[in-house]
Amino acid sequence: MRTPRRAARVAVLDPAGSVFMFRYDNEEVGVHWAMPGGGLDPGESPLQAAERELREETGWTDVEIDGTLLCLWEHDFTRAGVRVRQHEHIFLTHGPRRDPAGDLVAAHAADRILRWRWWSPADLSGGREPLWPPQLPELLADVRKVGAPATPVDLGFVRNGFVGGS
């Protein structure tokens, strides 16, 4: 049995279309790449959580999220020893290409963030490491071709290809 968890993430694209991502190490699913984000606090909307998590994990206080949703998806993993089924809202925004700002060492250690990088469209399409969601290269390719979706793409439940069981 999985505990339901709501979360929000942010796809921050630079002017060249690269996306900012963190490399995480999770006790159940192992090493993978995901965008800044995390669980909703009580009373928080997904947009509020996305804004807070982006500030906390990157130190960026000037990147604004206008509420454009790229996609929704659910997936399973273990967080702090608890097996969860996480329902995520992934927001889309644009910002300058830069490094995270401030002292984030403790926050990254607590979240098991190993490192960060900007992924170019070519990096995404030729990547060999697991991405959350796995459909991210196709979603962002569509954004580059036709712009942000009018309604978010609902990926439903996605089994992470590298997860050993549900």
Side-chain angles (χ1 to χ4, degrees), residues 13-163:
L13 301 180
D14 75 2
S18 295
V19 63
F20 182 84
M21 297 184 75
F22 288 119
R23 189 173 195 230
Y24 292 87
D25 185 8
N26 178 266
E27 61 194 90
E28 179 182 355
V29 298
V31 173
H32 62 280
W33 290 88
M35 294 153 288
L40 275 64
D41 285 343
E44 226 177 13
S45 72
L47 179 58
Q48 290 168 328
E51 292 168 336
R52 176 184 50 76
E53 289 283 346
L54 183 63
R55 281 190 312 274
E56 290 176 358
E57 294 182 350
T58 66
W60 301 335
T61 59
D62 61 343
V63 175
E64 294 188 25
I65 305 168
D66 68 6
T68 301
L69 269 172
L70 175 64
C71 70
L72 306 168
W73 76 304
E74 291 184 9
H75 60 104
D76 293 342
F77 74 107
T78 298
R79 182 182 184 286
V82 177
R83 292 166 51 96
V84 299
R85 172 146 306 165
Q86 182 155 292
H87 176 78
E88 287 188 6
H89 289 71
I90 298 180
F91 292 89
L92 180 65
T93 195
H94 295 82
R97 184 183 188 111
R98 61 183 164 185
D99 296 347
D103 182 7
L104 303 168
V105 174
H108 285 188
D111 287 339
R112 301 189 72 174
I113 295 173
L114 303 175
R115 65 187 184 101
W116 60 269
R117 72 177 265 213
W118 288 91
W119 286 68
S120 71
D123 294 337
L124 283 174
S125 65
R128 305 241 189 306
E129 295 193 56
L131 303 173
W132 283 13
Q135 299 86 344
L136 186 63
E138 295 82 13
L139 291 167
L140 294 180
D142 288 346
V143 168
R144 285 189 296 278
K145 288 178 193 168
V146 297
T151 59
V153 176
D154 189 345
L155 300 173
F157 175 77
V158 177
R159 178 181 290 280
N160 293 316
F162 48 93
V163 176

